[in-house]
Amino acid sequence: MITFDFKTYTKNFISKEEINKYINKKKDIKKYLDNKIDMMGWYNVDKLFDLKLIQNILRTATYIRESCDVFLVIGIGGSYLGAFAFIEALNPYFYNNQKKPAIYFVGTSLSTEYYYDLVNLIKDKDIIVNVISKSGTTLESAIGYDIILKLMKEKYNNEELKKRIIITTDENSGELRKEVNKEGYQSFIIPNNIGGRFSVFSPVGLLPIAVSGFDLENLSKGIKEAYSNLDKAIEYAAIRKIMYDKGKNIEAFVVYEPKLYAFMEWLKQLYGESLGKNDQGLLPISLINTRDLHSLGQYLQEGKKIIFETVINIEKSNNQLYLNKYQKTLDEINNIASLATSKAHLKGNVLNNVITIKKLNERSLGCLMQFFMISCAISGYLEGVNAFDQLGVEEYKKIMHDLL
Ligand code: PA5
């Protein structure tokens, strides 16, 4: 269950009438969401969680868990952030020291140091790799795949490679699909109508999530729950638009559970890449508190008033620590820190939306992610931008291609 408080810490900055102007568009918004079938493949959960596909993903995940020490997920942007966010949030801290297989996300940089250290770490281990790229042409993923393939070819024969390379890509086009057809590797399809940053609940995210041992049924229940919050998704999109129209330039996503750091990266990509276009859009940033109260906290409290916050709180951790000195659990103290900060920021005219989940698990995180994806699509509609393209990202790629 998610609860939303868009009022207590936003003072009278936004009136009910201003929000209602957008809430009244609900019929049109619903029509837009239902009919934008070319890019809304992620919106129909029943289709997404097709029984045959889920069985295949679960079978493959079990096989991976039983057959390797290290599972490498090669992909960048939307091709890794969703699974990364989910896996980091729901696993215990330091999970790669405890769980088998260890999961590493590869292909997110061009760092020589990273690949040197990674190859050294895994060269004597049994490896399975999942290469994920919708276009099949992304440089970082291609280079990651090249480096890992070279290592794997030194370790395994062709028959063994077929059991150890899984490719997730477009059904028909791109280099990776050609590779699947040529080498006979196992593959999963990224549906045409699902863009990278909306693909976490397609095979892009579901396979790594299942390998990490998470329950896809509870996840699908959570995703479905998000639809009952459609009014809140519209309200949140409306608030973001009004904030922007009234001079706010930056939305700070704030959490008090550091495990959500990767979820913050996913959120920033979702909102930044979807809505930062046409010379407009809120800049998404993130704060991991209480750490960042001792850093950016100063700017938020007393700096330029161009920022508003969206705080995501967790009511209760899975484990409890009682601190005699304070006669409180650490959870209680953490939640008090969040409350105190929202109050202090409001005093300094920095407005907060507060979203609270009861516990962090497959269901609540699934719901939260789908909520933000739906609201992001609505933001695109309200702000008059196409949330599903990213033409700006192509610019550096073109120049780099020429330079290479
Ligand atoms: O959200 C997006 O569409 C992008 O971030 C892509 O996911 C990213 O650029 C990677 O693209 P591809 O999956 O084609 O390698």
Side-chain angles (χ1 to χ4, degrees), residues 76-79 132-136 138 141 195-197 269 273 390 397:
I76 196 165
S79 283
I132 308 175
S133 173
K134 189 172 179 187
S135 61
T138 304
S141 319
R197 56 194 171 275
Q269 193 231 359
E273 206 167 30
Q390 58 278 331
K397 287 192 198 166

Side-chain angles (χ1 to χ4, degrees), residues 94-342:
F94 321 113
Y95 65 96
N96 271 342
N97 296 336
Q98 306 159 29
K99 273 177 116 172
K100 189 175 159 269
I103 300 183
Y104 298 115
F105 290 89
V106 183
T108 62
S109 78
L110 300 171
S111 160
T112 306
E113 299 289 348
Y114 175 80
Y115 280 109
Y116 187 85
D117 292 347
L118 178 72
V119 168
N120 266 336
L121 179 75
I122 65 173
K123 63 179 190 290
D124 298 324
K125 307 221 155 103
D126 266 328
I127 304 164
I128 292 184
V129 61
N130 181 199
V131 191
I132 308 175
S133 173
K134 189 172 179 187
S135 61
T137 56
T138 304
L139 182 72
E140 292 88 338
S141 319
I143 287 178
Y145 182 37
D146 267 3
I147 293 170
I148 298 303
L149 189 59
K150 182 171 175 283
L151 170 69
M152 290 179 80
K153 281 188 170 167
E154 285 161 14
K155 287 167 68 77
Y156 305 116
N157 63 26
N158 280 349
E159 271 322 293
E160 200 60 26
L161 284 180
K162 278 190 199 159
K163 296 182 198 154
R164 295 187 175 276
I165 295 176
I166 301 162
I167 292 182
T168 306
T169 190
D170 184 82
E171 185 171 12
N172 302 306
S173 67
E175 290 307 308
L176 286 177
R177 182 52 61 189
K178 279 189 208 152
E179 176 101 341
V180 170
N181 294 339
K182 187 169 150 238
E183 305 292 347
Y185 296 147
Q186 188 185 344
S187 78
F188 286 91
I189 293 168
I190 309 178
N192 230 327
N193 59 357
I194 301 184
R197 56 194 171 275
F198 293 89
S199 69
V200 53
F201 301 133
S202 77
V204 170
L206 290 183
L207 181 62
I209 287 171
V211 171
S212 208
F214 296 113
D215 185 317
L216 299 192
E217 203 176 320
N218 276 337
L219 169 59
S220 81
K221 282 182 190 155
I223 300 170
K224 284 183 184 155
E225 234 170 73
Y227 298 93
S228 56
N229 293 314
L230 186 63
D231 285 356
K232 287 293 168 190
I234 298 172
E235 194 178 337
Y236 175 54
I239 288 170
R240 294 180 78 260
K241 167 131 182 61
I242 298 164
M243 291 276 190
Y244 183 74
D245 290 344
K246 290 188 168 188
K248 304 293 176 199
N249 292 148
I250 297 171
E251 176 173 24
F253 292 109
V254 183
V255 288
Y256 287 76
E257 171 49 71
K259 272 183 177 187
L260 292 174
Y261 82 98
F263 177 61
M264 296 287 95
E265 296 308 311
W266 176 81
L267 262 182
K268 285 189 284 186
Q269 193 231 359
L270 178 66
Y271 278 89
E273 206 167 30
S274 299
L275 303 171
K277 38 194 84 151
N278 300 353
D279 212 1
Q280 68 182 69
L282 288 161
L283 170 71
I285 65 167
S286 63
L287 278 84
I288 314 287
N289 285 346
T290 57
R291 181 195 72 188
D292 290 338
L293 290 175
H294 301 261
S295 124
L296 287 183
Q298 168 61 34
Y299 191 101
L300 273 139
Q301 187 71 46
E302 293 187 336
K304 202 161 182 212
K305 296 290 169 282
I306 51 172
I307 307 175
F308 72 93
E309 294 166 87
T310 296
V311 184
I312 301 161
N313 285 327
I314 302 166
E315 224 168 82
K316 215 168 179 191
S317 298
N318 290 317
N319 300 296
Q320 291 302 316
L321 265 181
Y322 190 77
L323 296 171
N324 284 332
K325 185 173 170 191
Y326 302 94
Q327 302 213 340
K328 288 195 170 31
T329 64
L330 192 54
D331 253 2
E332 285 168 336
I333 297 174
N334 201 19
N335 283 322
I336 288 171
S338 173
L339 181 68
T341 309
S342 286

Side-chain angles (χ1 to χ4, degrees), residues 28-39:
D28 293 337
I29 290 170
K30 265 197 89 175
K31 212 162 131 194
Y32 171 76
L33 295 176
D34 290 336
N35 294 335
K36 184 123 187 73
I37 38 177
D38 58 330
M39 284 319 282

